[in-house]
């Protein structure tokens, strides 16, 4: 089994200097006291270069928060996977609920981005999750299966080992209401079943399934122990090293 992965999604927060300092503090702390987890941070596009410089040769990896589905072309305002590789990104987050809901990104858009990102050599953190209304209608697993089926359509067997799935219930993002361990392990088990059915036992059981949505230093230890949770995607609490680092270490301390 792969070691856990903890990702900080900084969203649209921070100047280059803020992000540089934040990244340097995280990298320094993890260099001094290594944790047996993989760690990545996802600053805004404008801070990718300074954060790359700040993390240097440390174990912290660099993630982007989005990309386009072409490697270049007349797409004003967009950034391609090739450009992200060029600046030093290891990962890209795709299908985040803010992209899906605020910017109306469809499953098909996400699938096209997945293919382009894989082609460029990026690893992918694919976000899936249901709205509160969908949960109330008991459609959670149906919605997530649809999101996975379309997004992973082009992920040939060779590509699936470059993909991490992040279950992020839309109602838990930035709300302070995280899903309960029961709810999380139920959905993660459903995702695991989907992966095993689609890619076979050997490959499907290796894909990491992260949880995201109002993760903080207080709930992280319990989430880290939850069945089927192989990592965390952290928003608000990743903006300060003093809240992000204890979350990273919650896996080590289990
Ligand atoms: P949150 O965000 O931790 O602030 O809820 C999580 C995310 O959007 O990835």
């Amino acid at each position: 089994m792969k070691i856990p992965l903890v990702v900080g999604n900084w969203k649209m927060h921070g100047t280059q200097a803020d992000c540089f300092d934040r990244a340097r503090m995280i990298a320094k702390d993890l260099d001094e006291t290594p944790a047996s987890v993989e760690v990545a941070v996802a600053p805004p596009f404008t801070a990718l270069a300074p954060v790359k410089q700040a993390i240097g040769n440390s174990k912290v990896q660099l993630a982007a928060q989005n990309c386009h589905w072409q490697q270049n072309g007349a797409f004003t305002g967009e950034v391609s996977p090739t450009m992200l590789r060029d600046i030093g990104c290891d990962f890209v987050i795709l299908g985040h609920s803010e992209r899906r809901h605020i910017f109306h990104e469809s499953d098909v858009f996400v699938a096209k981005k997945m293919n382009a990102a894989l082609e460029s050599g990026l690893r992918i953190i694919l976000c899936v999750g249901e709205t509160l209304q969908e949960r109330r209608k008991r459609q959670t697993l149906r919605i997530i299966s649809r999101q996975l089926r379309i997004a992973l359509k082009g992920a040939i067997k060779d590509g699936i080992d470059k993909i991490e799935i992040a279950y992020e219930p839309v109602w838990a993002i930035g709300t302070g209401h995280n899903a309960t361990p029961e709810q999380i392990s139920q959905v993660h088990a459903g995702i695991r079943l989907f992966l095993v059915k689609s890619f076979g036992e050997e490959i499907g059981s290796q894909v990491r399934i992260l949880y995201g949505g109002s993760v903080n230093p207080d709930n992280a230890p319990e989430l880290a122990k939850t069945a089927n949770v192989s990592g965390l995607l952290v928003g608000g609490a990743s903006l300060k090293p003093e809240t992000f680092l204890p979350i990273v270490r919650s896996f080590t301390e289990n």
Side-chain angles (χ1 to χ4, degrees):
M1 202 63 193
K2 293 180 185 167
I3 59 169
L5 169 68
V6 181
V7 183
N9 175 9
W10 295 352
K11 306 193 181 183
M12 201 172 71
H13 292 290
T15 61
Q16 296 186 63
D18 295 336
C19 294
F20 179 91
D21 290 346
R22 201 185 283 156
R24 197 166 53 177
M25 283 164 77
I26 293 168
K28 189 167 172 281
D29 188 276
L30 290 169
D31 267 358
E32 283 167 8
T33 321
S36 50
V37 287
E38 258 190 84
V39 178
V41 292
F45 286 133
T46 48
L48 285 169
V51 168
K52 179 74 187 165
Q53 204 191 341
I55 57 185
N57 294 325
S58 75
K59 290 258 169 68
V60 179
Q61 299 179 81
L62 189 63
Q65 300 174 18
N66 184 29
C67 69
H68 194 257
W69 61 79
Q70 293 281 336
Q71 305 301 353
N72 50 60
F75 299 104
T76 303
E78 292 291 323
V79 175
S80 80
T82 304
M83 292 166 183
L84 297 179
R85 281 300 282 163
D86 180 50
I87 211 164
C89 283
D90 305 287
F91 289 98
V92 62
I93 299 172
L94 292 177
H96 190 280
S97 81
E98 285 149 17
R99 302 289 329 161
R100 292 180 191 266
H101 295 282
I102 305 174
F103 300 100
H104 309 292
E105 266 185 27
S106 65
D107 290 317
V108 173
F109 270 29
V110 176
K112 288 166 82 168
K113 291 178 177 206
M114 298 274 299
N115 287 333
L118 282 177
E119 188 185 274
S120 73
L122 284 166
R123 291 163 68 193
I124 296 166
I125 299 148
L126 169 66
C127 303
V128 295
E130 82 287 6
T131 63
L132 189 56
Q133 208 183 19
E134 288 159 349
R135 173 164 282 271
R136 287 192 175 135
K137 287 195 202 151
R138 300 181 186 281
Q139 293 174 337
T140 300
L141 283 177
R142 187 146 64 84
I143 297 293
I144 290 172
S145 299
R146 187 204 70 216
Q147 291 171 337
L148 288 171
R149 183 168 34 81
I150 301 174
L152 295 174
K153 216 174 193 162
I156 35 155
K157 282 200 176 180
D158 289 351
I160 189 71
D161 67 325
K162 312 245 168 32
I163 298 171
E164 327 281 344
I165 311 290
Y167 168 51
E168 296 207 306
V170 179
W171 47 272
I173 297 177
T175 58
H177 302 293
N178 63 302
T180 64
E182 246 170 35
Q183 289 170 323
I184 297 169
S185 58
Q186 232 171 41
V187 174
H188 282 215
I191 295 174
R192 179 68 67 210
L193 192 65
F194 177 95
L195 293 169
V196 167
K197 274 194 189 155
S198 311
F199 299 97
E201 175 72 37
E202 200 186 329
I203 297 169
S205 61
Q206 288 299 314
V207 180
R208 283 183 289 208
I209 307 173
L210 282 53
Y211 167 77
S214 298
V215 177
N216 61 44
D218 295 329
N219 59 28
E222 193 181 13
L223 295 169
K225 270 191 286 194
T226 299
N228 291 311
V229 171
S230 25
L232 296 167
L233 178 52
V234 190
S238 69
L239 293 175
K240 289 198 179 115
E242 59 270 33
T243 46
F244 185 58
L245 287 162
I247 296 174
V248 169
R249 297 195 186 284
S250 59
F251 282 93
T252 331
E253 272 140 33
N254 267 325

